[in-house]
Amino acid sequence: MSNTSARESIFARLHSARSAGLPYAPVPEKWEPAPIEDKKARVARFVELMTAMRSEVYQVKGDEWVGKLQEILAERGLKNLVYGPGTEIAKKLESAWKGKKDVGAELVPWKNDVEEFRDELFAADAGITTTMGGVAESAAMILWPSPQEPRLLSLVPPVHFAVVKADRIWTSFAEAIRELDWSAKAPTNALLISGPSKTADIELILQFGVHGPTDLIVFVVE
């Protein structure tokens, strides 16, 4: 057999094999961590991993987080705190600040126009947001930005405070999606936050606060 015939024969066999074969379509196995049934264990896991990611976590009851917040602001000498008016935590913040002159930090409400609010936002020492809940196995908080509480509140100020309800901490993200019924109403811009902003893009040296807050302080509320 000549070289040309051999080559044509090989190509013909390859072409035939490719045409006859079925497309490879791997089917991923469904995997989900076993749920942590005990709420106390779920919260403990969330706190442990969140702390390991260099976050500060405080477990408080009821509205105690407001007093703790004011205490931290005073200890750190933070001068102002931006928040979203109309949110679940807004009334408690406004009530706690109302008529109190000994609270060192000024409470600054978000304004709808980002251009109008830009100077105040970038001058803010800290921001505070609500959350939709948390994920224990990845120590992630779920945020759902809204016009009242935009993403910038958790992104721009160097210190981010967040309030997480203990009974809305799930084992896995898959479980959270189910419980929050995202199949019927998925958020348009959900955020998962696991610790302060960090990157190791340059020389694989971990740096904090390059693209966002350097400090994340979480209140887990019972």
Side-chain angles (χ1 to χ4, degrees):
M1 182 180 293
S2 67
N3 289 339
T4 302
S5 298
R7 184 170 64 249
E8 290 174 350
S9 175
I10 291 170
F11 284 152
R13 286 164 56 194
L14 290 173
H15 179 73
S16 175
R18 188 181 64 175
S19 301
L22 296 174
Y24 176 64
V27 179
E29 293 184 12
K30 185 178 179 182
W31 182 85
E32 188 176 324
I36 304 174
E37 301 292 349
D38 181 59
K39 174 188 163 185
K40 190 175 178 181
R42 255 193 332 269
V43 172
R45 181 71 171 162
F46 176 83
V47 172
E48 176 193 359
L49 295 184
M50 186 63 83
T51 304
M53 294 302 293
R54 225 190 77 162
S55 303
E56 290 182 41
V57 185
Y58 298 92
Q59 292 180 261
V60 293
K61 295 182 179 178
D63 293 342
E64 290 177 356
W65 64 270
V66 183
K68 189 64 184 174
L69 167 67
Q70 292 179 331
E71 182 183 320
I72 296 170
L73 290 169
E75 285 176 355
R76 296 190 174 208
L78 301 175
K79 300 300 183 187
N80 43 41
L81 174 73
V82 291
Y83 75 105
T87 61
E88 189 176 353
I89 62 174
K91 285 185 179 179
K92 292 172 184 175
L93 289 169
E94 292 161 357
S95 175
W97 256 258
K98 188 175 182 181
K100 278 195 173 183
K101 296 183 179 178
D102 57 342
V103 179
E106 179 188 3
L107 191 62
V108 183
W110 163 263
K111 294 173 185 172
N112 287 332
D113 187 337
V114 64
E115 294 299 329
E116 183 184 348
F117 194 62
R118 178 188 299 181
D119 291 343
E120 290 173 278
L121 178 64
F122 281 85
D125 287 341
I128 186 168
T129 67
T130 59
T131 67
M132 298 182 77
V135 178
E137 286 295 356
S138 55
M141 302 183 303
I142 306 170
L143 273 67
W144 186 342
S146 66
Q148 293 77 27
E149 189 179 73
R151 183 183 180 189
L152 291 173
L153 292 185
S154 65
L155 186 65
V156 176
V159 180
H160 176 204
F161 291 93
V163 180
V164 181
K165 292 180 180 177
D167 58 4
R168 292 174 73 85
I169 293 176
W170 298 282
T171 303
S172 64
F173 186 48
E175 185 182 351
I177 289 175
R178 271 199 311 274
E179 294 297 322
L180 293 169
D181 197 20
W182 282 13
S183 61
K185 185 183 179 185
T188 54
N189 184 23
L191 305 177
L192 297 177
I193 297 178
S194 296
S197 168
K198 50 192 171 296
T199 181
D201 285 351
I202 301 175
E203 300 290 337
L204 299 179
I205 298 173
L206 188 61
Q207 299 287 337
F208 289 87
V210 176
H211 305 300
T214 55
D215 294 90
L216 175 63
I217 301 173
V218 182
F219 299 115
V220 177
V221 182
E222 291 283 353

